[in-house]
Amino acid sequence: MNFQQLVTTELGTRAWLALGALPPRAGYAFARWLTRRLYRHKQGIVYRVLYDNQRHILGPEATDEQVDAAVAAVLQHAGMANYDLVHAVSRGEQAILDGIDLGDDFWPNLDAARATGQGVLICAGHLSNFNLGFLAFAIQGGFPIQALSAAEEAGGFKVVRELRSRGLIEDTPIDSGSLRKAIVRLRQGGVALTGVDWPVPDTQDGVSFFGAPSLLSSGNIRLALSANALLVPLACRWTPERGYYAMTGPHLQLERTGNREEDIRHNARRILSILEGWIRESPDQWLMYHRVWPAET
């Protein structure tokens, strides 16, 4: 097992969580050491995937040096965000709530969507400290929510799921049973959440993302159409002045043409275009470690 494989295993993730007890100076120093190791191993899967994803965001006009610098910035932000997450978790619920601002538009946009009486499907992106945002929402509460997450049980992802499954959040791996449960919940006016920028390697959907066919699934739109649910975009961001904060957009009613496949493509692009705008504003904060576009042959 090499270094990069170790840090993504369940053992490696639990070791990282244990480091949350370190004071910030030591914790950030460890995060910088770890991310430098990942950055320097340029033949490793983490670097290569991040490079490919950033290449698509920055476009063909970006030089190799610019893309390489973008990967370094992503890893630097990831190290900081991961330490801040585990440090907040190690200090308890109030530290989690203090660690992220559920911004001025967060609750008003969600409350306006729920006031319609329709189900609400929150469409989230993997920007900045998104897991800290989930934990803060679960603690602060307000209403139950079903989170549909990638169907991965092994390694570090299992540990992250254990963290998120608290309070009013029910974290369910995507399978036929959890999808049926989400449809019932949404048809009854409930709330579900899914990540819309998580790639599915064997998908045939070919959803366009940053102007190119991607490995993203349109399953979130199929789910919303089946339940006649509203869409609410959500992501997190960090600035030196504000720290971590959550962003939501106004809810979107599904637009229908009478052609289901066209409806799926059209509404998928509507929600992804919002996420594209947020990523373009802070490309170094898009923490996606899976290849989002097919590898060039």
Side-chain angles (χ1 to χ4, degrees):
M1 178 182 293
N2 66 31
F3 178 76
Q4 294 193 65
Q5 291 171 329
L6 173 62
V7 297
T8 57
T9 62
E10 180 171 351
L11 173 63
T13 303
R14 291 196 183 278
W16 179 271
L17 288 171
L19 291 168
L22 291 175
R25 184 174 180 179
Y28 291 135
F30 173 79
R32 288 192 296 271
W33 172 83
L34 177 62
T35 55
R36 281 197 298 266
R37 290 287 303 271
L38 294 173
Y39 170 71
R40 289 171 181 169
H41 189 27
K42 297 189 177 182
Q43 297 306 312
I45 186 65
V46 173
Y47 180 91
R48 289 187 287 113
V49 167
L50 289 175
Y51 188 97
D52 184 72
N53 288 346
Q54 288 293 311
R55 165 63 72 189
H56 279 86
I57 296 172
L58 299 177
E61 65 277 7
T63 65
D64 292 345
E65 291 75 15
Q66 289 172 322
V67 181
D68 178 77
V71 174
V74 170
L75 287 169
Q76 181 179 5
H77 186 79
M80 178 186 73
N82 283 327
Y83 169 73
D84 287 339
L85 170 66
V86 298
H87 187 56
V89 169
S90 73
R91 291 183 296 146
E93 292 188 353
Q94 189 58 51
I96 293 171
L97 292 173
D98 292 342
I100 186 166
D101 174 16
L102 299 183
D104 295 340
D105 57 358
F106 186 87
W107 292 113
N109 282 334
L110 285 176
D111 289 343
R114 295 182 67 236
T116 67
Q118 292 177 247
V120 178
L121 181 62
I122 300 174
C123 299
H126 288 74
L127 273 162
S128 196
N129 218 326
F130 51 91
N131 275 313
L132 188 61
F134 291 160
L135 292 176
F137 171 81
I139 293 167
Q140 189 165 331
F143 46 84
I145 185 169
Q146 179 185 351
L148 293 158
S149 55
E152 296 184 19
E153 292 292 347
F157 197 84
K158 180 180 179 181
V159 181
V160 173
R161 178 174 295 133
E162 291 171 1
L163 270 178
R164 294 199 309 218
S165 295
R166 58 170 64 192
L168 295 175
I169 291 183
E170 179 185 4
D171 198 316
T172 58
I174 295 176
D175 58 23
S176 58
S178 63
L179 289 172
R180 286 193 298 269
K181 186 173 185 176
I183 290 173
V184 171
R185 179 187 295 265
L186 292 169
R187 286 177 176 172
Q188 293 175 347
V191 182
L193 177 148
T194 189
V196 296
D197 55 349
W198 187 275
V200 180
D202 57 353
T203 186
Q204 301 298 312
D205 291 356
V207 176
S208 178
F209 194 45
F210 283 94
S214 71
L215 297 173
L216 302 184
S217 170
S218 60
N220 59 309
I221 302 300
R222 297 175 191 273
L223 171 61
L225 285 168
S226 296
N228 191 33
L230 302 173
L231 307 175
V232 174
L234 179 146
C236 292
R237 182 172 289 158
W238 176 88
T239 65
E241 301 78 19
R242 190 173 177 183
Y244 300 108
Y245 62 97
M247 308 178 293
T248 56
H251 63 264
L252 304 177
Q253 286 278 2
L254 292 167
E255 295 180 352
R256 303 173 187 265
T257 66
N259 181 316
R260 181 173 173 83
E261 291 306 310
E262 178 59 29
D263 293 346
I264 291 169
R265 287 189 294 270
H266 172 67
N267 287 291
R269 282 299 309 143
R270 291 174 69 205
I271 200 71
L272 287 176
S273 67
I274 296 172
L275 181 58
E276 286 173 1
W278 287 341
I279 292 173
R280 283 193 177 98
E281 291 172 359
S282 303
D284 60 310
Q285 297 185 28
W286 188 40
L287 306 185
M288 176 49 62
Y289 307 105
H290 297 266
R291 191 180 297 279
V292 173
W293 290 269
E296 296 183 0
T297 57

